[in-house]
Amino acid sequence: MNRGFREREPGVWYREWAPAATYLGLIGDFNGWDRGANPLTRDHFGVWSVFLPDAEYRDRLTHESRVKVHVGAANGGIDRIPAYARRVVQEASDDFMAQYWSPPELFAWKHAAPARRGGLRIYEAHIGMAQEEGKVGTYAEFTQHILSRIANLGYDAVQLMAIMEHPYYGSFGYHVSSFYAASSRFGTPEELKTLIDTAHGMGLQVIMDIIHSHAVKNVNEGLNHFDGTDYQYFHAGERGLHPAWDSLCFDYSKYEVQRFLLSNVRFWLEEYRFDGFRFDGVTSMLYLDHGLGKALAAMKTISAATWTTMRLPT
């Protein structure tokens, strides 16, 4: 959901790609969860959209308002997490819920990203597991207690795991459900931005583990059967199932899937100012057999996971 205009009128646009769906309706706190109150309109590419003008919705659709999209399809009607949701939280009922994230003030960045000085000395870390206490750590605690230790040890980059939202903590962040949402179990988007900005001020570049090789199978939280089919984002049938990871494999041949994933790369660079990525499961992305059961010598030209730094043209 993004702010924009329709015929010079300000408001909020919501768009969703769901080519096989028969109905989409935006629902949430703002309309009393009425599935018929704000229907979306489909274009000939299978992209659905609705515009919420400020004149009617500014006082109803507010920062942190809970939202979902009701999708009518061949598999029935299901309330789903929007595919491009930027904030997803787990409620007391254990259900995951998207939030309209529109803070009243823009985040104020203070530090430019440090320049690379030859080869990188990378410290890999998991936000939730980095603390000494026996609990799930937070972005704020990592910023306060861990970053300075990494810098003082002589590293010049920190690689963060489990940033993208995932419903099962024990997956170490590798079963992603919402690709545009920073994991809320560690804190808010602004707290993650503060972590990255602080790291830059210490001379540390920040690399993100990005998971584009597969996705979680969950229907309620993830993309599986979003438009009622098993072939929207993923390969249909057995080819779409990763036998070792119990997850779903993206169909990279579709332009819409390419746009979703490439836009995701750009989003993390621009919105959060990550300096680069470690792409997980590259071997699985390249080979139909995912590299399973192959001798190490046959795979020596590429590792199962790699990283790269990326910058947009200035």
Side-chain angles (χ1 to χ4, degrees):
M1 300 176 69
N2 294 301
R3 293 201 54 79
F5 295 86
R6 185 181 63 181
E7 298 179 354
R8 298 184 180 181
E9 182 179 23
V12 175
W13 278 103
Y14 170 61
R15 295 181 176 89
E16 196 75 68
W17 175 60
T22 57
Y23 176 83
L24 266 70
L26 186 62
I27 57 176
D29 296 329
F30 73 98
N31 65 4
W33 300 93
D34 183 347
R35 293 167 178 163
N38 295 97
L40 277 68
T41 302
R42 185 189 191 280
D43 68 14
H44 60 283
F45 295 109
V47 177
W48 300 72
S49 62
V50 65
F51 182 74
L52 305 178
D54 283 349
E56 183 178 355
Y57 291 98
R58 177 177 284 280
D59 295 332
R60 294 161 59 184
L61 182 64
T62 57
H63 177 53
E64 295 186 284
S65 292
R66 302 182 306 161
V67 293
K68 280 191 174 182
V69 58
H70 182 74
V71 181
N75 61 344
I78 306 177
D79 299 339
R80 304 296 300 260
I81 301 292
Y84 288 82
R86 297 188 179 189
R87 174 72 169 172
V88 179
V89 297
Q90 188 171 14
E91 300 192 318
S93 62
D94 286 339
D95 291 333
F96 281 76
M97 180 69 62
Q99 290 182 329
Y100 173 60
W101 200 256
S102 182
E105 296 182 2
L106 293 176
F107 183 82
W109 296 92
K110 299 177 181 178
H111 304 287
R116 284 185 58 181
R117 303 182 298 272
L120 290 175
R121 295 178 296 278
I122 304 172
Y123 187 98
E124 183 179 19
H126 185 289
I127 299 295
M129 301 179 187
Q131 306 300 313
E132 295 183 3
E133 294 83 358
K135 67 180 185 67
V136 177
T138 66
Y139 298 126
E141 290 169 333
F142 193 93
T143 303
Q144 181 179 0
H145 302 300
I146 308 299
L147 281 179
S148 60
R149 295 169 63 179
I150 295 172
N152 291 338
L153 286 170
Y155 292 94
D156 47 24
V158 56
Q159 175 184 314
L160 298 179
M161 303 168 60
I163 295 299
M164 305 162 88
E165 191 60 82
H166 49 289
Y168 178 46
Y169 184 64
S171 74
F172 290 86
Y174 292 115
H175 277 192
V176 175
S177 52
S178 294
F179 285 76
Y180 287 77
S183 181
S184 61
R185 58 171 52 86
F186 307 135
T188 67
E190 284 67 41
E191 288 169 334
L192 174 57
K193 291 177 182 179
T194 298
L195 186 160
I196 295 169
D197 195 36
T198 304
H200 286 166
M202 294 179 177
L204 293 169
Q205 292 193 332
V206 187
I207 297 169
M208 174 182 163
D209 258 22
I210 195 165
I211 320 299
H212 285 178
S213 49
H214 64 132
V216 72
K217 290 169 62 177
N218 301 32
V219 171
N220 290 333
E221 298 90 5
L223 299 173
N224 192 12
H225 286 90
F226 192 93
D227 71 348
T229 69
D230 65 348
Y231 54 81
Q232 181 187 357
Y233 285 97
F234 312 105
H235 291 287
E238 290 297 318
R239 184 175 176 184
L241 300 174
H242 197 295
W245 298 342
D246 192 33
S247 55
L248 299 174
C249 301
F250 284 105
D251 183 354
Y252 304 119
S253 69
K254 290 186 175 180
Y255 288 125
E256 293 84 357
V257 174
Q258 294 177 29
R259 292 188 183 108
F260 179 80
L261 296 176
L262 290 172
S263 295
N264 188 237
V265 168
R266 183 162 186 164
F267 168 77
W268 292 105
L269 291 172
E270 292 185 336
E271 181 68 20
Y272 286 91
R273 300 195 180 181
F274 278 96
D275 299 291
F277 302 96
R278 176 231 183 223
F279 284 85
D280 177 72
V282 172
T283 301
S284 184
M285 298 168 73
L286 292 177
Y287 301 104
L288 294 177
D289 60 13
H290 308 294
L292 298 175
K294 299 298 182 181
L296 181 61
M299 310 300 296
K300 65 181 180 180
T301 58
I302 185 166
S303 62
T306 190
W307 64 268
T308 183
T309 55
M310 303 179 64
R311 291 195 180 278
L312 297 175
T314 56

